[in-house]
PDB file of all heavy atoms in Angstrom:
ATOM      1  N   LEU A 234       9.667  51.706  97.931  1.00 95.00           N
ATOM      2  CA  LEU A 234       9.211  52.913  98.570  1.00 95.00           C
ATOM      3  C   LEU A 234       8.502  53.836  97.532  1.00 95.00           C
ATOM      4  O   LEU A 234       7.415  54.319  97.774  1.00 95.00           O
ATOM      5  CB  LEU A 234      10.372  53.659  99.237  1.00 95.00           C
ATOM      6  CG  LEU A 234       9.959  55.009  99.843  1.00 95.00           C
ATOM      7  CD1 LEU A 234       9.086  54.799 101.076  1.00 95.00           C
ATOM      8  CD2 LEU A 234      11.156  55.866 100.205  1.00 95.00           C
ATOM      9  N   PHE A 237       5.143  52.775  96.567  1.00 97.00           N
ATOM     10  CA  PHE A 237       4.115  53.097  97.607  1.00 97.00           C
ATOM     11  C   PHE A 237       3.799  54.581  97.562  1.00 97.00           C
ATOM     12  O   PHE A 237       2.637  54.978  97.627  1.00 97.00           O
ATOM     13  CB  PHE A 237       4.639  52.699  98.993  1.00 97.00           C
ATOM     14  CG  PHE A 237       3.834  53.336 100.091  1.00 97.00           C
ATOM     15  CD1 PHE A 237       2.627  52.792 100.469  1.00 97.00           C
ATOM     16  CD2 PHE A 237       4.229  54.505 100.705  1.00 97.00           C
ATOM     17  CE1 PHE A 237       1.832  53.391 101.448  1.00 97.00           C
ATOM     18  CE2 PHE A 237       3.489  55.120 101.657  1.00 97.00           C
ATOM     19  CZ  PHE A 237       2.272  54.552 102.007  1.00 97.00           C
ATOM     20  N   ALA A 246       0.733  50.788 103.233  1.00 95.00           N
ATOM     21  CA  ALA A 246       1.752  51.324 104.142  1.00 95.00           C
ATOM     22  C   ALA A 246       2.317  50.212 105.006  1.00 95.00           C
ATOM     23  O   ALA A 246       3.542  50.091 105.208  1.00 95.00           O
ATOM     24  CB  ALA A 246       1.186  52.443 104.959  1.00 95.00           C
ATOM     25  N   LEU A 247       1.425  49.357 105.561  1.00 93.00           N
ATOM     26  CA  LEU A 247       1.910  48.304 106.455  1.00 93.00           C
ATOM     27  C   LEU A 247       2.681  47.246 105.706  1.00 93.00           C
ATOM     28  O   LEU A 247       3.721  46.792 106.158  1.00 93.00           O
ATOM     29  CB  LEU A 247       0.703  47.702 107.213  1.00 93.00           C
ATOM     30  CG  LEU A 247      -0.070  48.750 108.040  1.00 93.00           C
ATOM     31  CD1 LEU A 247      -1.250  48.116 108.743  1.00 93.00           C
ATOM     32  CD2 LEU A 247       0.861  49.415 109.069  1.00 93.00           C
ATOM     33  N   THR A 249       4.305  47.662 102.862  1.00 95.00           N
ATOM     34  CA  THR A 249       5.588  48.232 102.409  1.00 95.00           C
ATOM     35  C   THR A 249       6.562  48.335 103.578  1.00 95.00           C
ATOM     36  O   THR A 249       7.765  48.083 103.413  1.00 95.00           O
ATOM     37  CB  THR A 249       5.365  49.620 101.769  1.00 95.00           C
ATOM     38  OG1 THR A 249       4.355  49.448 100.758  1.00 95.00           O
ATOM     39  CG2 THR A 249       6.604  50.146 101.098  1.00 95.00           C
ATOM     40  N   ALA A 250       6.046  48.741 104.716  1.00 95.00           N
ATOM     41  CA  ALA A 250       6.940  48.847 105.922  1.00 95.00           C
ATOM     42  C   ALA A 250       7.592  47.523 106.223  1.00 95.00           C
ATOM     43  O   ALA A 250       8.753  47.445 106.614  1.00 95.00           O
ATOM     44  CB  ALA A 250       6.131  49.352 107.112  1.00 95.00           C
ATOM     45  N   GLU A 251       6.831  46.445 106.039  1.00 92.00           N
ATOM     46  CA  GLU A 251       7.336  45.074 106.256  1.00 92.00           C
ATOM     47  C   GLU A 251       8.540  44.856 105.298  1.00 92.00           C
ATOM     48  O   GLU A 251       9.602  44.379 105.725  1.00 92.00           O
ATOM     49  CB  GLU A 251       6.244  44.089 105.924  1.00 92.00           C
ATOM     50  CG  GLU A 251       6.454  42.693 106.455  1.00 92.00           C
ATOM     51  CD  GLU A 251       6.061  42.546 107.894  1.00 92.00           C
ATOM     52  OE1 GLU A 251       4.969  43.047 108.285  1.00 92.00           O
ATOM     53  OE2 GLU A 251       6.841  42.003 108.627  1.00 92.00           O
ATOM     54  N   LYS A 252       8.382  45.234 104.040  1.00 91.00           N
ATOM     55  CA  LYS A 252       9.406  45.024 103.027  1.00 91.00           C
ATOM     56  C   LYS A 252      10.666  45.869 103.332  1.00 91.00           C
ATOM     57  O   LYS A 252      11.759  45.494 102.954  1.00 91.00           O
ATOM     58  CB  LYS A 252       8.898  45.486 101.657  1.00 91.00           C
ATOM     59  CG  LYS A 252       8.336  44.336 100.805  1.00 91.00           C
ATOM     60  CD  LYS A 252       8.071  44.854  99.390  1.00 91.00           C
ATOM     61  CE  LYS A 252       6.690  44.500  98.925  1.00 91.00           C
ATOM     62  NZ  LYS A 252       6.256  45.278  97.753  1.00 91.00           N
ATOM     63  N   LEU A 253      10.457  47.017 103.945  1.00 92.00           N
ATOM     64  CA  LEU A 253      11.573  47.941 104.129  1.00 92.00           C
ATOM     65  C   LEU A 253      12.177  47.857 105.518  1.00 92.00           C
ATOM     66  O   LEU A 253      12.958  48.689 105.934  1.00 92.00           O
ATOM     67  CB  LEU A 253      11.075  49.388 103.906  1.00 92.00           C
ATOM     68  CG  LEU A 253      10.524  49.625 102.515  1.00 92.00           C
ATOM     69  CD1 LEU A 253      10.033  51.057 102.386  1.00 92.00           C
ATOM     70  CD2 LEU A 253      11.623  49.402 101.461  1.00 92.00           C
ATOM     71  N   ALA A 254      11.828  46.753 106.218  1.00 83.00           N
ATOM     72  CA  ALA A 254      12.286  46.614 107.600  1.00 83.00           C
ATOM     73  C   ALA A 254      13.820  46.712 107.781  1.00 83.00           C
ATOM     74  O   ALA A 254      14.314  47.164 108.791  1.00 83.00           O
ATOM     75  CB  ALA A 254      11.751  45.297 108.214  1.00 83.00           C
ATOM     76  N   LYS A 255      14.570  46.220 106.773  1.00 83.00           N
ATOM     77  CA  LYS A 255      16.016  46.211 106.881  1.00 83.00           C
ATOM     78  C   LYS A 255      16.680  47.407 106.181  1.00 83.00           C
ATOM     79  O   LYS A 255      17.901  47.494 106.156  1.00 83.00           O
ATOM     80  CB  LYS A 255      16.583  44.915 106.272  1.00 83.00           C
ATOM     81  CG  LYS A 255      16.465  43.701 107.209  1.00 83.00           C
ATOM     82  CD  LYS A 255      16.841  42.473 106.404  1.00 83.00           C
ATOM     83  CE  LYS A 255      17.916  41.665 107.061  1.00 83.00           C
ATOM     84  NZ  LYS A 255      18.521  40.615 106.179  1.00 83.00           N
ATOM     85  N   ALA A 256      15.877  48.255 105.600  1.00 86.00           N
ATOM     86  CA  ALA A 256      16.467  49.354 104.829  1.00 86.00           C
ATOM     87  C   ALA A 256      17.152  50.399 105.729  1.00 86.00           C
ATOM     88  O   ALA A 256      16.887  50.427 106.928  1.00 86.00           O
ATOM     89  CB  ALA A 256      15.395  50.048 104.006  1.00 86.00           C
ATOM     90  N   SER A 257      18.014  51.172 105.127  1.00 84.00           N
ATOM     91  CA  SER A 257      18.650  52.296 105.846  1.00 84.00           C
ATOM     92  C   SER A 257      17.605  53.382 106.034  1.00 84.00           C
ATOM     93  O   SER A 257      17.046  53.912 105.052  1.00 84.00           O
ATOM     94  CB  SER A 257      19.840  52.788 105.036  1.00 84.00           C
ATOM     95  OG  SER A 257      20.024  54.173 105.278  1.00 84.00           O
ATOM     96  N   LEU A 258      17.353  53.764 107.286  1.00 88.00           N
ATOM     97  CA  LEU A 258      16.302  54.742 107.548  1.00 88.00           C
ATOM     98  C   LEU A 258      16.633  56.109 107.022  1.00 88.00           C
ATOM     99  O   LEU A 258      15.798  56.743 106.382  1.00 88.00           O
ATOM    100  CB  LEU A 258      16.002  54.781 109.044  1.00 88.00           C
ATOM    101  CG  LEU A 258      15.515  53.448 109.643  1.00 88.00           C
ATOM    102  CD1 LEU A 258      15.210  53.604 111.125  1.00 88.00           C
ATOM    103  CD2 LEU A 258      14.289  52.927 108.908  1.00 88.00           C
ATOM    104  N   LEU A 261      15.816  56.028 103.416  1.00 91.00           N
ATOM    105  CA  LEU A 261      14.361  56.060 103.155  1.00 91.00           C
ATOM    106  C   LEU A 261      13.820  57.505 103.227  1.00 91.00           C
ATOM    107  O   LEU A 261      13.028  57.939 102.398  1.00 91.00           O
ATOM    108  CB  LEU A 261      13.602  55.165 104.135  1.00 91.00           C
ATOM    109  CG  LEU A 261      13.721  53.657 103.989  1.00 91.00           C
ATOM    110  CD1 LEU A 261      12.936  52.954 105.069  1.00 91.00           C
ATOM    111  CD2 LEU A 261      13.273  53.209 102.602  1.00 91.00           C
ATOM    112  N   ARG A 313      11.454  64.001 110.603  1.00 92.00           N
ATOM    113  CA  ARG A 313      11.832  62.612 110.729  1.00 92.00           C
ATOM    114  C   ARG A 313      13.295  62.380 110.385  1.00 92.00           C
ATOM    115  O   ARG A 313      13.956  61.516 110.954  1.00 92.00           O
ATOM    116  CB  ARG A 313      10.977  61.797 109.766  1.00 92.00           C
ATOM    117  CG  ARG A 313      10.647  60.419 110.229  1.00 92.00           C
ATOM    118  CD  ARG A 313       9.628  59.762 109.323  1.00 92.00           C
ATOM    119  NE  ARG A 313       8.289  60.399 109.460  1.00 92.00           N
ATOM    120  CZ  ARG A 313       7.460  60.099 110.421  1.00 92.00           C
ATOM    121  NH1 ARG A 313       7.805  59.246 111.368  1.00 92.00           N
ATOM    122  NH2 ARG A 313       6.328  60.689 110.502  1.00 92.00           N
ATOM    123  N   PRO A 320      16.341  55.602 115.763  1.00 80.00           N
ATOM    124  CA  PRO A 320      14.939  55.361 116.082  1.00 80.00           C
ATOM    125  C   PRO A 320      14.810  54.327 117.191  1.00 80.00           C
ATOM    126  O   PRO A 320      15.722  53.489 117.362  1.00 80.00           O
ATOM    127  CB  PRO A 320      14.397  54.788 114.763  1.00 80.00           C
ATOM    128  CG  PRO A 320      15.576  54.080 114.157  1.00 80.00           C
ATOM    129  CD  PRO A 320      16.794  54.834 114.582  1.00 80.00           C
ATOM    130  N   SER A 322      12.429  51.999 117.213  1.00 87.00           N
ATOM    131  CA  SER A 322      12.168  50.744 116.488  1.00 87.00           C
ATOM    132  C   SER A 322      12.094  51.079 114.989  1.00 87.00           C
ATOM    133  O   SER A 322      11.355  51.948 114.539  1.00 87.00           O
ATOM    134  CB  SER A 322      10.837  50.153 116.927  1.00 87.00           C
ATOM    135  OG  SER A 322      10.261  49.403 115.857  1.00 87.00           O
ATOM    136  N   ALA A 323      12.933  50.364 114.221  1.00 87.00           N
ATOM    137  CA  ALA A 323      13.019  50.669 112.791  1.00 87.00           C
ATOM    138  C   ALA A 323      11.656  50.402 112.122  1.00 87.00           C
ATOM    139  O   ALA A 323      11.199  51.212 111.296  1.00 87.00           O
ATOM    140  CB  ALA A 323      14.108  49.813 112.136  1.00 87.00           C
ATOM    141  N   LYS A 324      10.992  49.335 112.513  1.00 89.00           N
ATOM    142  CA  LYS A 324       9.750  48.968 111.838  1.00 89.00           C
ATOM    143  C   LYS A 324       8.681  50.029 112.136  1.00 89.00           C
ATOM    144  O   LYS A 324       7.984  50.493 111.225  1.00 89.00           O
ATOM    145  CB  LYS A 324       9.275  47.581 112.356  1.00 89.00           C
ATOM    146  CG  LYS A 324       8.069  47.060 111.674  1.00 89.00           C
ATOM    147  CD  LYS A 324       7.970  45.545 111.800  1.00 89.00           C
ATOM    148  CE  LYS A 324       6.692  45.025 111.186  1.00 89.00           C
ATOM    149  NZ  LYS A 324       5.541  45.184 112.130  1.00 89.00           N
ATOM    150  N   LEU A 325       8.578  50.444 113.392  1.00 92.00           N
ATOM    151  CA  LEU A 325       7.574  51.438 113.780  1.00 92.00           C
ATOM    152  C   LEU A 325       7.875  52.776 113.060  1.00 92.00           C
ATOM    153  O   LEU A 325       6.983  53.471 112.607  1.00 92.00           O
ATOM    154  CB  LEU A 325       7.579  51.673 115.284  1.00 92.00           C
ATOM    155  CG  LEU A 325       6.904  50.579 116.085  1.00 92.00           C
ATOM    156  CD1 LEU A 325       6.961  50.894 117.588  1.00 92.00           C
ATOM    157  CD2 LEU A 325       5.453  50.368 115.650  1.00 92.00           C
ATOM    158  N   PHE A 326       9.167  53.065 112.988  1.00 94.00           N
ATOM    159  CA  PHE A 326       9.603  54.294 112.319  1.00 94.00           C
ATOM    160  C   PHE A 326       9.075  54.318 110.852  1.00 94.00           C
ATOM    161  O   PHE A 326       8.500  55.304 110.408  1.00 94.00           O
ATOM    162  CB  PHE A 326      11.136  54.384 112.364  1.00 94.00           C
ATOM    163  CG  PHE A 326      11.692  55.601 111.693  1.00 94.00           C
ATOM    164  CD1 PHE A 326      12.029  56.709 112.429  1.00 94.00           C
ATOM    165  CD2 PHE A 326      11.940  55.593 110.310  1.00 94.00           C
ATOM    166  CE1 PHE A 326      12.564  57.852 111.824  1.00 94.00           C
ATOM    167  CE2 PHE A 326      12.496  56.720 109.692  1.00 94.00           C
ATOM    168  CZ  PHE A 326      12.795  57.846 110.459  1.00 94.00           C
ATOM    169  N   VAL A 327       9.288  53.215 110.167  1.00 95.00           N
ATOM    170  CA  VAL A 327       8.853  53.190 108.732  1.00 95.00           C
ATOM    171  C   VAL A 327       7.324  53.198 108.620  1.00 95.00           C
ATOM    172  O   VAL A 327       6.770  53.947 107.822  1.00 95.00           O
ATOM    173  CB  VAL A 327       9.446  51.918 108.032  1.00 95.00           C
ATOM    174  CG1 VAL A 327       9.047  51.924 106.569  1.00 95.00           C
ATOM    175  CG2 VAL A 327      10.972  51.897 108.149  1.00 95.00           C
ATOM    176  N   GLU A 328       6.660  52.437 109.482  1.00 95.00           N
ATOM    177  CA  GLU A 328       5.197  52.412 109.435  1.00 95.00           C
ATOM    178  C   GLU A 328       4.645  53.809 109.653  1.00 95.00           C
ATOM    179  O   GLU A 328       3.765  54.278 108.916  1.00 95.00           O
ATOM    180  CB  GLU A 328       4.661  51.480 110.505  1.00 95.00           C
ATOM    181  CG  GLU A 328       4.674  50.027 110.102  1.00 95.00           C
ATOM    182  CD  GLU A 328       4.119  49.135 111.226  1.00 95.00           C
ATOM    183  OE1 GLU A 328       3.620  49.668 112.241  1.00 95.00           O
ATOM    184  OE2 GLU A 328       4.194  47.908 111.069  1.00 95.00           O
ATOM    185  N   ASP A 329       5.170  54.435 110.700  1.00 94.00           N
ATOM    186  CA  ASP A 329       4.719  55.766 111.040  1.00 94.00           C
ATOM    187  C   ASP A 329       4.944  56.745 109.912  1.00 94.00           C
ATOM    188  O   ASP A 329       4.081  57.575 109.528  1.00 94.00           O
ATOM    189  CB  ASP A 329       5.512  56.194 112.294  1.00 94.00           C
ATOM    190  CG  ASP A 329       4.852  57.393 112.975  1.00 94.00           C
ATOM    191  OD1 ASP A 329       3.611  57.409 112.985  1.00 94.00           O
ATOM    192  OD2 ASP A 329       5.579  58.257 113.447  1.00 94.00           O
ATOM    193  N   MET A 330       6.116  56.627 109.293  1.00 96.00           N
ATOM    194  CA  MET A 330       6.461  57.528 108.182  1.00 96.00           C
ATOM    195  C   MET A 330       5.500  57.337 107.011  1.00 96.00           C
ATOM    196  O   MET A 330       4.988  58.308 106.450  1.00 96.00           O
ATOM    197  CB  MET A 330       7.914  57.208 107.756  1.00 96.00           C
ATOM    198  CG  MET A 330       8.364  57.790 106.439  1.00 96.00           C
ATOM    199  SD  MET A 330      10.093  57.340 106.155  1.00 96.00           S
ATOM    200  CE  MET A 330      10.053  57.141 104.382  1.00 96.00           C
ATOM    201  N   LEU A 331       5.185  56.078 106.691  1.00 97.00           N
ATOM    202  CA  LEU A 331       4.321  55.806 105.533  1.00 97.00           C
ATOM    203  C   LEU A 331       2.858  56.168 105.843  1.00 97.00           C
ATOM    204  O   LEU A 331       2.158  56.656 104.952  1.00 97.00           O
ATOM    205  CB  LEU A 331       4.462  54.346 105.090  1.00 97.00           C
ATOM    206  CG  LEU A 331       5.867  53.897 104.727  1.00 97.00           C
ATOM    207  CD1 LEU A 331       5.830  52.478 104.179  1.00 97.00           C
ATOM    208  CD2 LEU A 331       6.468  54.823 103.691  1.00 97.00           C
ATOM    209  N   LEU A 332       2.447  55.938 107.090  1.00 96.00           N
ATOM    210  CA  LEU A 332       1.042  56.261 107.420  1.00 96.00           C
ATOM    211  C   LEU A 332       0.841  57.784 107.437  1.00 96.00           C
ATOM    212  O   LEU A 332      -0.180  58.289 106.998  1.00 96.00           O
ATOM    213  CB  LEU A 332       0.706  55.664 108.805  1.00 96.00           C
ATOM    214  CG  LEU A 332       0.527  54.153 108.768  1.00 96.00           C
ATOM    215  CD1 LEU A 332       0.387  53.594 110.192  1.00 96.00           C
ATOM    216  CD2 LEU A 332      -0.711  53.749 107.945  1.00 96.00           C
ATOM    217  N   GLU A 333       1.806  58.480 107.953  1.00 95.00           N
ATOM    218  CA  GLU A 333       1.701  59.950 107.963  1.00 95.00           C
ATOM    219  C   GLU A 333       1.631  60.520 106.514  1.00 95.00           C
ATOM    220  O   GLU A 333       0.814  61.394 106.213  1.00 95.00           O
ATOM    221  CB  GLU A 333       2.894  60.554 108.694  1.00 95.00           C
ATOM    222  CG  GLU A 333       2.769  62.043 108.860  1.00 95.00           C
ATOM    223  CD  GLU A 333       3.624  62.590 110.028  1.00 95.00           C
ATOM    224  OE1 GLU A 333       4.759  62.114 110.152  1.00 95.00           O
ATOM    225  OE2 GLU A 333       3.114  63.388 110.799  1.00 95.00           O
ATOM    226  N   TYR A 334       2.475  59.953 105.658  1.00 96.00           N
ATOM    227  CA  TYR A 334       2.462  60.342 104.255  1.00 96.00           C
ATOM    228  C   TYR A 334       1.051  60.061 103.691  1.00 96.00           C
ATOM    229  O   TYR A 334       0.516  60.883 102.973  1.00 96.00           O
ATOM    230  CB  TYR A 334       3.529  59.593 103.471  1.00 96.00           C
ATOM    231  CG  TYR A 334       3.518  59.815 102.017  1.00 96.00           C
ATOM    232  CD1 TYR A 334       4.158  60.940 101.430  1.00 96.00           C
ATOM    233  CD2 TYR A 334       2.846  58.969 101.198  1.00 96.00           C
ATOM    234  CE1 TYR A 334       4.127  61.165 100.073  1.00 96.00           C
ATOM    235  CE2 TYR A 334       2.810  59.168  99.795  1.00 96.00           C
ATOM    236  CZ  TYR A 334       3.467  60.233  99.226  1.00 96.00           C
ATOM    237  OH  TYR A 334       3.434  60.458  97.896  1.00 96.00           O
TER     238      TYR A 334
END
Side-chain angles (χ1 to χ4, degrees):
L234 176 70
F237 166 80
L247 301 179
T249 308
E251 195 83 46
K252 263 191 231 164
L253 298 177
K255 280 171 126 193
S257 150
L258 300 181
L261 287 180
R313 212 172 291 281
S322 151
K324 185 158 175 281
L325 286 180
F326 180 95
V327 181
E328 280 180 4
D329 196 37
M330 168 178 145
L331 302 186
L332 287 172
E333 185 158 44
Y334 174 85

